[in-house]
Amino acid sequence: MLAPRLLNKLIVHGERVARIVEVEAYGGREPDPAAHTFRGLTPRTTAMFGPPGHLYVYFSYGVHWCANVVCGDEGEGAAVLLRAAAPVAGIDEMRMDRPTARGEADLLRGPGNLCRALGITKEHYGADLVTADMGIELRDDGTSPPENPVITKRVGITKEAARQWRFYVSNEPSVSRPR
DNA sequence: CCGCCGATCTTT
DNA sequence: AAGATCGGCGGG
């Protein structure tokens, strides 16, 4: 399971920088009924079945964009949902796009809010996070992933609800509910 | 603090 | 008809 290795990495879009503090794993070699790739290749899931290191973006509940990092080999259909991040830079710009956020810890709390604060939408579908071909990049500033991340059930799903594939940094105020 | 509910689009 | 969500509103 490499999802927790994304914790404490930086997600960068232009001036905006945030530290990933909460993730969930989806799909992979063992069947995962909760994953968008469970029923095979569809127009929506082409990026998730693509090579690792790219962005899989989907539209949630007709309202929010949500972003995943593709983590499986090509054809595998595995990705890590970015559920929350702590703001590092570009905070004024984030606030402009997140008018309902009260404090800084609210800016990127939750997968929809994270995309809103970073300005990620469907135009970034399939972006290469290594070459930053669309201005979005995954960066390692030397901060190690936590040695003991908190491990829980995934949030907001009904299928495969018992699987413990959510990982977050303990004592981190930007983590979404439930803590 | 908690729970309900609407918004609004994609996929089944 | 349900869904990898969010924020506003009403009640305790």
Side-chain angles (χ1 to χ4, degrees):
Chain A
M1 173 57 57
L2 76 175
R5 296 184 52 79
L6 274 184
L7 294 175
N8 282 338
K9 296 285 184 290
L10 300 179
I11 177 85
V12 182
H13 187 200
E15 302 294 306
R16 310 180 198 203
V17 182
R19 190 175 304 282
I20 297 165
V21 297
E22 178 185 351
V23 297
E24 282 174 358
Y26 284 92
R29 304 211 180 275
E30 43 186 305
D32 178 9
H36 291 165
T37 47
F38 181 63
R39 292 167 196 285
L41 183 64
T42 65
R44 177 172 68 160
T45 57
T46 53
M48 192 165 160
F49 276 112
H54 289 248
L55 202 62
Y56 164 52
V57 181
Y58 73 94
F59 201 37
S60 175
Y61 291 91
V63 183
H64 310 283
W65 297 104
C66 295
N68 297 246
V69 178
V70 178
C71 286
D73 291 329
E74 187 150 14
E76 187 176 338
V80 174
L81 173 68
L82 303 181
R83 282 199 56 91
V88 172
I91 293 173
D92 291 342
E93 288 177 87
M94 293 180 186
R95 281 196 178 284
M96 299 284 285
D97 287 340
R98 289 273 299 117
T100 59
R102 302 291 234 112
E104 288 191 6
D106 304 322
L107 288 171
L108 305 97
R109 177 187 290 135
N113 291 335
L114 182 150
C115 282
R116 192 91 187 267
L118 289 173
I120 296 174
T121 68
K122 69 173 175 188
E123 71 182 286
H124 307 291
Y125 185 93
D128 188 329
L129 300 175
V130 177
T131 65
D133 59 352
M134 300 193 197
I136 302 176
E137 178 187 3
L138 203 52
R139 188 181 299 170
D140 187 343
D141 72 343
T143 307
S144 300
E147 289 193 19
N148 296 296
V150 182
I151 304 175
T152 75
K153 298 171 183 176
R154 294 176 288 186
V155 175
I157 58 166
T158 53
K159 302 165 196 154
E160 201 65 20
R163 196 177 291 192
Q164 308 265 294
W165 270 10
R166 175 179 180 235
F167 307 88
Y168 66 85
V169 180
S170 60
N171 297 113
E172 165 51 56
S174 289
V175 169
S176 69
R177 296 182 184 235
R179 298 282 173 109

